[in-house]
Structures are given as C-alpha cells and as structure tokens.
Amino acid sequence: MLFLLNLGSFIQNQILKMKWLSQLIIFLLDNLGISQNTKIGNSIHFFIYDVIKITLLLCIMIFFISYLQTYFPAERSKKILLKFNGLLGNIVAALLGTVTPFCSCSSIPLFIGFINSGLPLGTTFSFLISSPMVDLGSLILLISIFGIKIAIAYVFLGLIIAIISGIIIEKLHLEDELENFVPASIDISGTISMNLTRKERLNIPKITVKETISKVFFYIVIGVGIGAIIHNWIPNFFVEKILGINNPFGVIFATLLGIPIYADIFGTIPIAEVLLNKGAMLGTILAFMMGVTTLSLPSIIMLRKVMRPKLLIIFISITCTGIIIVGYIFNFFQYFLF
C-alpha cells in the first residue's frame, strides 16, 4: 500500500505537475540573475513553467487521444449512436463526446453532420455539450492542477449537464426549430478509415498534434500570461471579494463572464489555478471554465446557422443553468474535495 501511495505521489508531482521542471527553471533563472523573490522574477518563472508544462502534457494527450480516435471515425460514431434511444442514447452521446474535438467550434461540424443524418435532437445536443467540456485531454490537465478527485467530479458533473440538457431538449420536441440548412461541405463519413495500417494510425496523431497545438498555443500563452499577472500583481482580497465565498452571485457572474470569451479549456486552466490560490471558490472557477469552453460567442454564432432563435436561446439557457447549478454544487462541497 505504501508503495502505491508513493507511486501515486510521484505521478502527481513529477509527471503531471512536473515539479522537476519548476526546479530546473528556477535554477536557470537564478543563474541568469533573475530572483524568485521579486514579482517580475516570479512572474517569469510562472509563465515559462506553465507554458512548457501545459504544452508538453497537451502534446502527449493529443497524441494518445488522436490515436484512439482513429478507431472511432465520425461514421462509426453515428452508427453507434443510431443503436441507442432515449436516456441511453444521451449517455452514449455524452461519452462519445469525450473522445472527440477539443473545442466547441470544432465539434459543431460533427453536430451538424449528426443532425443531417437523422439522429435524435436530444442525442446530438448531449454530444455537442460534452465534446468541448469534458474531453480526455482536459481531464489530465485538471488532474495535474486540482488533483484527481476534483477532475473526476468535474467530468462527471459535465457529463450530467450534457445528458440532462439533451433529455430536456428532446422532450420539448423542437425539431421544427432547426434551420433548413444542409451544408454540402459537411461529410461525417470522415477521412479516417477503419482499415488503416499501424503506420497510418501513428501518422494521424502526429499531424493532429501539430494542427491542434498551432490552434491552441496562442490561447495557452494568453491564459498563462493572464495567470502570471493575477498570480503576482492582483491582491488576494480583490479576487476574494468578486469570486470568493462572500459573494453569493460569484458563480452567476463567472458563468456570464465566460460565455462571450473564445478560448480553449487549456488556456483557462492556468487562470483557474491562480484564481483558486487567490481565494476564489472552486465552483465559481469551474463555472467560468465551462462557460468559456461550451458557450463561447463564436460557437453560438456558428450554431445560429442551424438553429432558429428559439432553439438557440433554449439551448443556451438550459446549458447555462446547468453550469450555474454545478458551480454552486462545487462551492458547497469544495472543502470535501481537497
């Protein structure tokens, strides 16, 4: 048992949190005359350490997840979803969303393809919500920052939001609120074949890593930069006043603040880490992350092409309400999760 505890501690601290990298950067900065005892030196360390750590973890996770995705092309996902109806269909769709694209905008083409293929509306919405909110890459990064209990709780409640939202939308029978829009460019058969060689399966993740990092690296840099500023320059009492326990509307504020922002979850995680250390409530922070990743303004604009205003407003309202409820749940149980 002691061996397993030590192994778990080693994985958490040296592999996921990469404390060795932190010490290495401190050593290099000290040799350059940049002291960690100053705000500037501490900010530089935070920025370099988090950018490298998140990028390395992300590259590794994208590679393995993309390799897994070669066994689940869109056409196969559609065939799987067609086998299930009702609640089970929503559950399967939400789970499939965890191994598909990393942001809301990249999952929308699959959502459109599923709609055009005649899948139940509620099932496709469960997929649409789950895909950007609870992918496997974010799970690993959440473990590296918050620990395994919080990461699993985040994923579980994210799946619950996706499943319940899909069920509600299905029960409302809003199929007539879809636009008569069938884009010729949407082909959910995908380019991935089930008959790939091992070499081809390994090449696809390499390409995916390069393409994904090129898209999200900007948001990682911006997110870490904002985190470094908050970490060293924003007073704790200011964060606690807005997002702390004494503000009962913090979750609502954070959710609504996150919706207009377009960023990847990998860019919001370093900000969340700093805010938590500054005294912000856990649920308030996670509500902000969910709002950013699931209901970003660009994704809402894209969804307007296939949804009429009534359906779009209902989708946003249901998802937003679910995120806010989850935020308050996390705040209530925060001290049990650490």
Side-chain angles (χ1 to χ4, degrees):
M1 179 61 70
L2 181 61
F3 170 77
L4 292 176
L5 290 175
N6 289 334
L7 178 62
S9 177
F10 175 81
I11 293 173
Q12 176 71 20
N13 293 321
Q14 301 301 329
I15 296 179
L16 295 177
K17 289 191 175 182
M18 297 188 189
K19 288 190 174 180
W20 59 269
L21 176 63
S22 177
Q23 295 301 316
L24 176 60
I25 293 171
I26 290 174
F27 173 77
L28 294 175
L29 290 176
D30 284 343
N31 279 275
L32 292 173
I34 302 175
S35 173
Q36 297 302 295
N37 297 323
T38 65
K39 287 186 177 181
I40 293 177
N42 205 275
S43 295
I44 293 173
H45 169 267
F46 182 96
F47 181 81
I48 296 174
Y49 166 62
D50 263 39
V51 167
I52 295 175
K53 179 186 70 174
I54 292 174
T55 303
L56 282 176
L57 283 174
L58 190 55
C59 286
I60 294 169
M61 285 308 304
I62 291 173
F63 184 89
F64 284 106
I65 293 170
S66 299
Y67 182 80
L68 178 63
Q69 287 175 347
T70 63
Y71 292 95
F72 289 93
E75 181 62 27
R76 182 173 185 179
S77 297
K78 186 196 76 171
K79 290 179 180 178
I80 292 173
L81 291 176
L82 285 172
K83 296 178 181 178
F84 301 97
N85 296 310
L87 174 61
L88 190 56
N90 293 104
I91 294 173
V92 172
L95 291 173
L96 278 176
T98 64
V99 292
T100 48
F102 300 98
C103 70
S104 55
C105 287
S106 57
S107 62
I108 288 174
L110 279 177
F111 166 77
I112 296 172
F114 290 155
I115 288 289
N116 290 335
S117 298
L119 287 172
L121 189 62
T123 301
T124 58
F125 271 97
S126 290
F127 168 85
L128 177 67
I129 296 169
S130 167
S131 180
M133 187 185 290
V134 292
D135 64 79
L136 296 177
S138 64
L139 172 62
I140 298 301
L141 285 179
L142 285 167
I143 291 174
S144 73
I145 300 297
F146 299 114
I148 191 167
K149 288 192 294 185
I150 292 174
I152 291 176
Y154 173 89
V155 170
F156 176 76
L157 290 175
L159 288 171
I160 293 297
I161 292 175
I163 293 166
I164 293 178
S165 297
I167 291 172
I168 293 173
I169 289 173
E170 185 70 30
K171 295 296 183 182
L172 292 175
H173 302 291
L174 296 167
E175 286 78 9
D176 59 344
E177 293 298 321
L178 290 168
E179 295 283 8
N180 296 321
F181 175 75
V182 183
S185 60
I186 300 296
D187 177 15
I188 70 163
S189 62
T191 58
I192 299 176
S193 169
M194 293 302 297
N195 299 316
L196 295 173
T197 65
R198 184 177 180 182
K199 182 177 180 181
E200 289 171 332
R201 290 193 188 280
L202 290 174
N203 281 335
I204 289 174
K206 293 177 184 177
I207 296 170
T208 305
V209 168
K210 183 178 179 180
E211 291 179 348
T212 305
I213 292 298
S214 68
K215 292 177 182 178
V216 306
F217 186 73
F218 171 78
Y219 300 108
I220 293 173
V221 171
I222 296 298
V224 174
I226 294 173
I229 294 171
I230 297 173
H231 178 65
N232 292 287
W233 302 91
I234 304 297
N236 289 14
F237 74 86
F238 182 78
V239 175
E240 290 175 359
K241 183 177 181 180
I242 298 176
L243 304 175
I245 193 171
N246 293 322
N247 184 2
F249 302 104
V251 172
I252 298 173
F253 172 76
T255 304
L256 297 178
L257 177 65
I259 290 175
I261 300 173
Y262 177 56
D264 199 277
I265 190 172
F266 309 113
T268 62
I269 285 177
I271 300 174
E273 177 186 15
V274 174
L275 289 175
L276 186 64
N277 293 332
K278 286 282 184 178
M281 294 295 289
L282 176 64
T284 304
I285 295 168
L286 297 181
F288 170 76
M289 292 172 59
M290 287 180 170
V292 170
T293 56
T294 311
L295 295 171
S296 66
L297 188 59
S299 68
I300 291 173
I301 293 172
M302 291 176 66
L303 287 172
R304 176 61 186 90
K305 294 181 179 179
V306 290
M307 299 181 196
R308 291 173 182 163
K310 179 181 176 180
L311 177 56
L312 186 60
I313 291 171
I314 290 174
F315 163 68
I316 295 171
S317 300
I318 292 173
T319 307
C320 189
T321 301
I323 290 172
I324 291 171
I325 292 172
V326 165
Y328 281 113
I329 291 174
F330 266 107
N331 280 352
F332 183 80
F333 289 103
Q334 173 168 342
Y335 298 105
F336 298 98
L337 292 170
F338 285 102

